[in-house]
Amino acid sequence: MTLERRGQYTASMRIGSVVYETPFVLAPLAGLTDSPMRRICRRLGASMVWTEMVSAEGLVRDGAKSHELLAFAEEERPIAFQIFGARPEAMAGAAARVATLDPDVIDINVGCPAKKVIRGGAGAALMREPALLREIASAVVEAAGRPVTAKIRSGWDADSLNAVDVAVALEECGVSAVAVHPRTRAQGFRGAADWSVIRDVANSVSVPVLGSGDVRTAADALRMLETTSCAAVMIGRAAVGNPWLFQSAETLRRTGAIADAATLAETLATAMEQLNLMVEAKGEHRGVLEMRKHLVAYLRGFRGASHLRAELVRIDGHAAVLERLRAAMDEYTP
Ligand SMILES: Cc1cc2nc3c(=O)[nH]c(=O)nc-3n(C[C@H](O)[C@H](O)[C@H](O)COP(=O)(O)O)c2cc1C
């Protein structure tokens, strides 16, 4: 991965032969960043997307669920597949398997705080096992046949802040970029992300560093680029229901202008587009059900929409939800 700089900010980012259009990418979010959300975010300006984490053990056992999580459309490229696991052989086997689907990047999860994952020695547990993490990273790099990245935390807890050491070790193992979510495992998702850790990591490795955590607005995204000198900003929760954030961050970076927020009409149209993709990808029942949390997020912040939100999470059936969204367009837009 190489970077060109224009002024203070990254002008383009490259991983392997892929040049990224902007430094704003979609973070992996389990249960949220499925193929429909990734497609919408790519259409609206995310320059790269991550799948949610997928179990290496599941992949080597050929689990249908793991494979379903990796279904993607060509328009999502460049895409990173994220895998998690604690056994180097399983991680290498999973990397070799998913490589047959030809993702642009394979990413190693070194950050998941969930008990189930930690108990198996994977995710953020690897922050405490540098020797094992080295083995895993080297094995995945060898098996992947494409750039490998890793997403880490600031450490296991406040007494073991080792993100810099971990990132340096990963670079030595051949990893092409490191994403940093600067909270400890002990913090989970509580408290503020400590962006100074992103800066420390960016100053300590020569591979590009992606920063993650608490970017809610275009101004936050720019501030992260400026204050941490990360190569790219990963946006997670704030992109749910606001896929325009990538574009508005890029507009701000290029022109200094704050883009207008999406109108309710644009928001409803995009929500309909995503609902259609959800139903196509998952079938009507699951598609409609899983779309509910996105619909709630899309309508967040619109005054007077609480009634509509409450209604939408109760309606069953693709056609009925579409009809309600269409009616809302007529009802609420001039
Ligand atoms: C619901 C949820 C699911 C997540 N799933 C993953 C995951 O599968 N893999 C991963 O590396 N990080 C995962 N994360 C962490 C995010 O990628 C990101 O680092 C974190 O949420 C901070 O960024 P944000 O404030 O922009 O959301 C998850 C976070 C949340 C809230």
Side-chain angles (χ1 to χ4, degrees), residues 27-30 32 52-53 82 109 151 181 183 189 212-215 234-238:
L29 297 173
L32 289 160
E52 64 180 85
M53 59 180 204
Q82 189 185 69
N109 181 309
K151 184 157 173 286
H181 172 208
R183 284 187 173 91
F189 295 95
S212 168
D214 299 348
V215 170
M234 272 188 153
I235 303 175
R237 288 167 291 183

Side-chain angles (χ1 to χ4, degrees), residues 137-166:
S138 302
V140 172
V141 166
E142 187 168 334
R146 67 208 62 236
V148 171
T149 58
K151 184 157 173 286
I152 69 174
R153 282 195 171 238
S154 40
W156 176 257
D157 60 21
D159 296 327
S160 55
L161 299 173
N162 61 346
V164 167
D165 292 346
V166 167

Side-chain angles (χ1 to χ4, degrees), residues 9 26 40 43 74 81 84 105 109 112 133 179 212 255 263 285 290 293 309 316 318 327 332:
Y9 309 126
L26 176 64
I40 296 288
R43 288 177 193 180
E74 280 300 306
F81 283 3
F84 73 94
V105 166
N109 181 309
C112 180
L133 179 58
S212 168
T255 68
T263 62
H285 180 71
E290 290 183 21
K293 54 196 167 206
R309 257 197 314 267
D316 287 322
H318 184 193
Y332 294 100

Side-chain angles (χ1 to χ4, degrees), residues 39-260:
R39 285 160 82 169
I40 296 288
C41 288
R42 281 289 288 133
R43 288 177 193 180
L44 291 172
S47 66
M48 181 179 181
V49 294
W50 259 251
T51 67
E52 64 180 85
M53 59 180 204
V54 181
S55 158
E57 300 289 345
L59 283 164
V60 291
R61 280 197 314 266
D62 236 347
K65 162 107 174 130
S66 309
H67 282 276
E68 188 197 313
L69 291 173
L70 295 176
F72 74 104
E74 280 300 306
E75 68 170 304
E76 291 171 44
R77 289 186 187 281
I79 184 169
F81 283 3
Q82 189 185 69
I83 56 175
F84 73 94
R87 289 192 308 121
E89 317 81 73
M91 288 293 274
R97 248 166 219 254
V98 302
T100 62
L101 301 170
D102 198 23
D104 300 279
V105 166
I106 294 178
D107 183 60
I108 304 171
N109 181 309
V110 193
C112 180
K115 279 207 185 79
K116 208 172 119 189
V117 172
I118 298 293
R119 239 183 272 126
L126 293 171
M127 295 294 299
R128 294 198 290 192
E129 301 287 348
L132 177 60
L133 179 58
R134 273 179 186 272
E135 258 187 78
I136 289 174
S138 302
V140 172
V141 166
E142 187 168 334
R146 67 208 62 236
V148 171
T149 58
K151 184 157 173 286
I152 69 174
R153 282 195 171 238
S154 40
W156 176 257
D157 60 21
D159 296 327
S160 55
L161 299 173
N162 61 346
V164 167
D165 292 346
V166 167
V168 168
L170 288 165
E171 179 176 30
E172 284 169 7
C173 295
V175 158
S176 302
V178 178
V180 183
H181 172 208
R183 284 187 173 91
T184 61
R185 188 270 165 171
Q187 281 178 295
F189 295 95
R190 290 178 304 276
D194 179 359
W195 290 2
S196 72
V197 176
I198 301 172
R199 189 196 55 218
D200 293 345
V201 173
N203 288 337
S204 309
V205 293
S206 53
V207 292
V209 169
L210 296 92
S212 168
D214 299 348
V215 170
R216 296 186 188 96
T217 63
D220 290 342
L222 265 270
R223 201 161 46 80
M224 184 185 274
L225 276 181
E226 273 183 71
T227 60
T228 71
S229 58
C230 62
V233 173
M234 272 188 153
I235 303 175
R237 288 167 291 183
V240 183
N242 184 13
W244 296 273
L245 189 48
F246 305 97
Q247 190 54 55
S248 55
E250 180 62 1
T251 300
L252 184 62
R253 184 177 79 89
R254 287 198 177 272
T255 68
I258 303 279
D260 289 338

